């Protein structure tokens, strides 16, 4: 019963997740009138879902569905599909998955929504298996419930993207690799190889986590067991290769490029960056050019794409149930990610999570590369980490209660691990805060235009005398007090041109501002006010007043006024705060713009 009950509960939660996704499909695209099974199911789903879903979960009706974007192309590609391993710009699994639903639904376009919703639903049971493997079956049921009811996942899961199916393949592959790492055997190697192959056939970029996971199976083991583990990992690799190789070979024969499904899309990202995109370019060459041209910018982009952006954009889809669920899951997930490296299964999960995000990490800030769906596959892993933390904490507290006064619990290892986690977190946070300074300096060295903008990572540029960053159409900071300073990392003593974008907080009383460079008078600007455009003021920084390294550009408004008297635009500040100007950015111009 202890084994059967959690599985039964996980299956019920999975059915619940599928029901609310089907209800969302009907709400957005309407009921399906034929064939008969689909008519009965889509007419009944809203009645059933009304009992279990919150009132806040609503979706607008789409009158002209699947226009623009990938889903309409998936439909076309699925209908044109001749063989499973045909050479194509899209990997075959989701196309075949969609083709199956087209057959079931009499070739209606809504089949693409059923395909993505089915993938999203499968991921619910997958996260149960994964969390049960690293924590406990009860934690697995809780993880499945969190994935089943998350609003953003439901929303994406009905619009016909392949990302839901990829999420399902990743979470099942993660579960299989955890089991292979724990008990290397023929059966676990077989399952790991099959699930890894399915992930690669959904997105060939899944190789970024499949290869490291196979290596970890061998490396993260006692020396005496490595030969046996290597044999099992090799078996999983052979099975995965047998599934994926025909697609790579067919692409190589037809196009000369086995990784055509990856390399074809570099044109989209080069176009988004304003780079020449008419000639083909491999992914390796594209990434190498990014790193060689701006190594610090590439490092900052990758670290943010791996560890920050995928995480901070999650956990917002629980508001319909209770206000603080998302915050609680987020904090538990962060704790779990810090603790997971201390257990073997956790190390496997961390490796899969980080390496699976590598393809996204280089392009998240280019054009549409940062869309929520591109890191959807990480969500189940974050949820599994959260429930792992809860499970471990509850076990430790229970052990303290049971053993109170009887025997000493091993506090020393806990303290040592906590200190290591704190040190690692401090180093990571310090790197995250300081890297923008060096990224800006790198661009100035290369004599390129670069902006120092108000925002969450501007701490080194805005020392004292400023409000916290605030979004007011654009991200801004407001000066507090008589003067405010912006730091500039200037690498050489030469003339620099800068453009300062700012507005007075009280235009009728602030008509000019004095500008200092390194506490020496630079000049004055006459402030203008335009409700449609923030003021732009160009300044020349003469080389005799420039220092190599940190330079201070100080802005002194004509007068300061209280935030209350500046108007409702500044009601987010303390009413008694003495305010001067509202600044967006300081832009250091390259040679070409002098």
């Amino acid at each position: 019963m202890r084994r059967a009950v959690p599985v039964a509960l996980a299956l019920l939660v999975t059915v619940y997740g599928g029901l609310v996704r089907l209800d969302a499909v009907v709400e957005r695209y309407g009921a399906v009138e034929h064939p008969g099974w689909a008519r009965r199911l889509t007419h009944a789903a809203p009645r059933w879902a009304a009992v279990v879903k919150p009132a806040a979960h609503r979706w607008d009706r789409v009158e002209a569905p699947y226009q623009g974007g990938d889903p309409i192309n998936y439909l076309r590609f699925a209908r044109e599909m001749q063989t499973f391993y045909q050479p194509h710009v899209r990997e075959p699994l989701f196309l075949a998955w969609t083709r199956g639903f087209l057959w079931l639904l009499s070739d209606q376009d809504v089949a693409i929504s059923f395909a993505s919703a089915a993938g999203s639903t499968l991921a619910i049971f997958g996260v149960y298996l994964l969390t049960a493997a690293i924590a406990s079956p009860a934690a697995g049921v809780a993880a499945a419930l969190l994935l089943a009811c998350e609003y953003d996942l439901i929303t994406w899961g009905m619009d016909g993207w392949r990302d839901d199916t990829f999420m399902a393949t990743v979470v099942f592959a993660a579960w299989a690799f955890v089991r292979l790492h724990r008990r290397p055997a023929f059966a676990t190697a077989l399952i790991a190889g099959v699930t890894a192959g399915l992930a690669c056939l959904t997105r060939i970029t899944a190789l970024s986590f499949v290869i490291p996971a196979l290596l970890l199976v061998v490396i993260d083991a006692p020396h005496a067991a490595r030969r046996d583990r290597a044999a099992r990992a090799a078996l999983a690799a052979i099975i995965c290769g047998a599934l994926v190789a025909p697609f790579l070979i067919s692409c190589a024969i037809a196009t000369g490029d086995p990784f055509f499904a990856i390399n074809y899309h570099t044109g989209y990202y080069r176009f988004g960056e304003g780079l020449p995109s008419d000639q083909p370019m491999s992914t390796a060459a594209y990434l190498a050019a990014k790193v060689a041209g701006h190594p610090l910018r590439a490092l900052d982009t990758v670290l943010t794409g791996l560890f920050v952006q995928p995480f901070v954009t999650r956990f917002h889809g629980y508001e319909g149930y209770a206000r603080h669920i998302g915050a609680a899951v987020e904090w538990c997930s962060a704790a779990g990610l810090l603790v997971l490296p201390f257990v073997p299964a956790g190390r496997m999960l961390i490796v899969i999570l980080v390496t699976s995000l590598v393809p996204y990490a280089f392009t998240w800030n280019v054009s549409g590369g940062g869309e929520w769906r591109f890191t959807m596959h990480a969500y189940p892993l974050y949820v599994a980490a959260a429930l792992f933390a809860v499970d471990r904490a509850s076990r430790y507290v229970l052990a303290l209660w049971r053993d109170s006064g009887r025997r000493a619990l091993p506090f020393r290892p806990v303290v040592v691990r906590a200190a290591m986690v704190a040190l690692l977190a401090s180093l990571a946070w310090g790197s995250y805060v300081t890297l923008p300074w060096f990224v800006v300096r790198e661009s100035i060295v290369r004599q390129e235009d670069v902006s120092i903008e108000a925002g969450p990572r501007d701490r080194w540029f805005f020392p004292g005398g400023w409000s916290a960053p605030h979004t007011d159409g654009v991200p801004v900071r407001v000066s507090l007090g008589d003067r405010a300073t912006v730091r500039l990392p200037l690498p050489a003593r030469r003339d620099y041109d800068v453009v300062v974008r700012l507005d007075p907080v009280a235009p009728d009383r602030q008509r000019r501002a004095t500008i200092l460079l390194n506490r020496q008078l630079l000049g004055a600007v006459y402030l203008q006010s335009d409700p449609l455009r923030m003021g732009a003021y160009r300044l020349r920084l003469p080389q005799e007043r420039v220092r190599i390294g940190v330079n201070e550009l100080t802005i002194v408004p004509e007068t300061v006024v209280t935030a209350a008297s500046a108007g409702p635009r500044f009601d987010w500040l303390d009413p008694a705060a003495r305010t001067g100007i509202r600044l967006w950015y300081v832009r250091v111009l390259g040679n070409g713009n002098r």
Side-chain angles (χ1 to χ4, degrees):
M1 288 295 292
R2 282 198 300 268
R3 294 180 179 180
V5 169
V7 174
L9 289 175
L11 289 172
L12 285 174
V13 171
T14 303
V15 171
Y16 160 72
L19 176 63
V20 294
R21 282 155 177 78
L22 181 60
D23 171 66
V25 171
V26 175
E27 195 165 328
R28 176 160 286 183
Y29 301 111
V32 180
E33 298 303 329
H34 65 92
W37 69 267
R39 180 178 58 80
R40 289 188 292 271
L41 188 61
T42 56
H43 280 275
R47 297 196 301 271
W48 298 336
V51 180
V52 293
K53 75 170 187 177
H57 283 197
R58 291 286 182 267
W59 294 271
D60 296 330
R61 177 64 64 90
V62 176
E63 300 301 332
Y66 316 119
Q67 298 303 309
D70 288 340
I72 193 66
N73 289 322
Y74 293 143
L75 278 169
R76 178 168 62 87
F77 295 154
R79 288 183 172 119
E80 295 171 350
M81 195 175 193
Q82 299 297 315
T83 62
F84 184 80
Y85 285 116
Q86 65 184 18
H88 207 276
V89 297
R90 294 297 186 188
E91 296 85 345
L93 185 65
F94 185 67
L95 301 185
W97 186 244
T98 302
R99 192 175 178 87
F101 279 97
L102 284 168
W103 177 76
L104 288 172
L105 290 160
S106 304
D107 203 44
Q108 297 177 84
D109 285 356
V110 76
I112 192 73
S113 287
F114 276 73
S116 63
S120 184
T121 303
L122 285 173
I124 298 169
F125 192 73
V127 80
Y128 161 76
L129 294 175
L130 174 62
T131 311
I134 66 171
S136 67
V141 174
L145 185 60
L146 286 172
L147 216 66
C149 65
E150 213 280 345
Y151 180 81
D152 291 323
L153 280 175
I154 299 170
T155 301
W156 282 102
M158 61 177 164
D159 284 343
W161 305 91
R162 65 171 172 168
D163 306 273
D164 307 275
T165 303
F166 184 63
M167 173 176 63
T169 61
V170 169
V171 72
F172 276 105
W175 163 71
F177 277 119
V178 165
R179 294 180 73 244
L180 176 63
H181 184 262
R182 181 176 294 161
R183 290 189 297 274
F186 177 82
T188 53
L190 175 65
I191 296 172
V194 170
T195 54
L198 294 177
C200 293
L201 291 173
T202 309
R203 270 207 179 110
I204 198 66
T205 52
L207 288 170
S208 70
F209 79 82
V210 169
I211 295 173
L214 288 169
L215 291 175
L216 186 68
V217 170
V218 180
I219 295 170
D220 191 23
H223 183 75
R226 286 185 180 176
R227 177 170 296 189
D228 181 60
R229 284 177 173 266
R232 301 307 180 188
L235 176 60
I238 290 170
I239 294 169
C240 177
L243 290 173
V244 178
F247 177 65
L248 301 180
I249 293 170
S250 68
C251 287
I253 293 172
T255 68
D257 181 6
F259 294 100
F260 178 65
I262 301 175
N263 297 330
Y264 174 84
H265 300 285
T266 61
Y268 170 80
Y269 292 107
R270 284 181 285 147
F271 180 82
E273 291 184 277
L275 300 174
S277 57
D278 52 338
Q279 296 297 322
M281 186 180 192
S282 71
T283 301
Y286 169 66
L287 298 181
K290 289 174 75 74
V291 173
H294 297 84
L296 290 178
R297 185 193 298 176
L299 175 64
D300 183 62
T301 299
V302 168
L303 292 179
T304 304
L306 289 178
F307 302 110
V308 180
Q309 191 68 16
F311 189 81
V312 300
T313 55
R314 294 296 178 271
F315 314 108
H316 306 302
Y318 302 106
E319 297 296 320
Y321 297 91
R323 187 173 182 180
H324 300 296
I325 292 179
V329 177
E330 183 176 19
W331 280 101
C332 290
S333 182
L337 292 172
L338 292 172
V339 176
L340 278 169
F342 296 104
V343 297
R347 289 191 287 275
M348 177 60 75
L349 187 65
I350 291 292
V351 165
I352 291 175
L353 172 63
V354 173
T355 56
S356 70
L357 290 169
V358 168
Y360 163 86
F362 283 91
T363 56
W364 69 268
N365 59 345
V366 178
S367 189
E371 287 188 7
W372 196 93
R373 62 188 177 90
F374 286 128
T375 54
M376 183 187 295
H377 68 274
Y379 211 149
L381 309 187
Y382 289 142
V383 170
L387 271 298
F388 173 82
V390 172
D391 180 78
R392 284 303 169 103
S394 61
R395 290 187 185 192
Y396 191 75
V397 170
L398 185 61
L400 281 176
W401 178 74
R402 285 178 175 174
D403 297 331
S404 178
R406 299 179 187 176
R407 61 185 177 87
L409 288 173
F411 283 104
R412 184 175 178 180
V414 173
V415 172
V416 171
R417 291 180 180 183
M420 292 175 61
V421 167
L423 177 62
L424 180 62
S426 299
L427 291 174
W429 175 249
S431 301
Y432 182 68
V433 171
T434 57
L435 260 177
W437 176 271
F438 297 100
V439 171
V440 168
R441 186 183 183 278
E442 178 182 65
S443 292
I444 296 175
V445 168
R446 296 175 62 87
Q447 299 188 4
E448 299 170 339
D449 293 358
V450 62
S451 294
I452 299 166
E453 295 189 11
R457 301 180 67 194
D458 64 1
R459 186 170 302 181
W460 275 49
F461 302 104
F462 294 86
W466 294 99
S467 71
H470 176 75
T471 301
D472 184 8
V474 293
V476 299
R477 280 184 182 259
V478 176
S479 67
L480 304 176
D482 298 327
R483 59 183 59 202
T485 298
V486 181
R487 290 175 179 159
L488 308 177
L490 303 180
R493 291 199 68 180
R494 62 176 178 85
D495 294 342
Y496 292 89
D497 287 329
V498 301
V499 174
V500 183
R501 298 296 299 275
L502 62 86
D503 272 345
V505 298
D508 55 333
R509 286 169 282 177
Q510 298 167 318
R511 302 189 183 279
R512 56 176 286 169
T514 302
I515 310 295
L516 308 176
L517 178 62
N518 297 324
R519 301 186 180 183
Q520 298 182 55
L521 180 64
L522 191 64
V525 295
Y526 290 89
L527 303 176
Q528 302 172 354
S529 180
D530 183 343
L532 300 179
R533 185 178 185 274
M534 187 173 285
Y537 305 93
R538 184 161 178 159
L539 306 170
R540 167 63 62 90
L541 311 184
Q543 68 175 25
E544 60 270 15
R545 297 182 187 176
V546 170
R547 297 192 298 233
I548 297 177
V550 180
N551 290 257
E552 295 184 343
L553 188 70
T554 303
I555 304 166
V556 184
E558 183 177 14
T559 186
V560 294
V561 300
T562 63
S565 65
R569 186 172 210 165
F570 303 95
D571 59 5
W572 54 278
L573 292 169
D574 181 352
R578 299 167 63 245
T579 61
I581 55 115
R582 185 173 64 105
L583 184 138
W584 178 8
Y585 65 73
V586 176
R587 187 169 184 82
V588 181
L589 302 179
N591 268 345
N593 290 295
R594 289 190 176 179

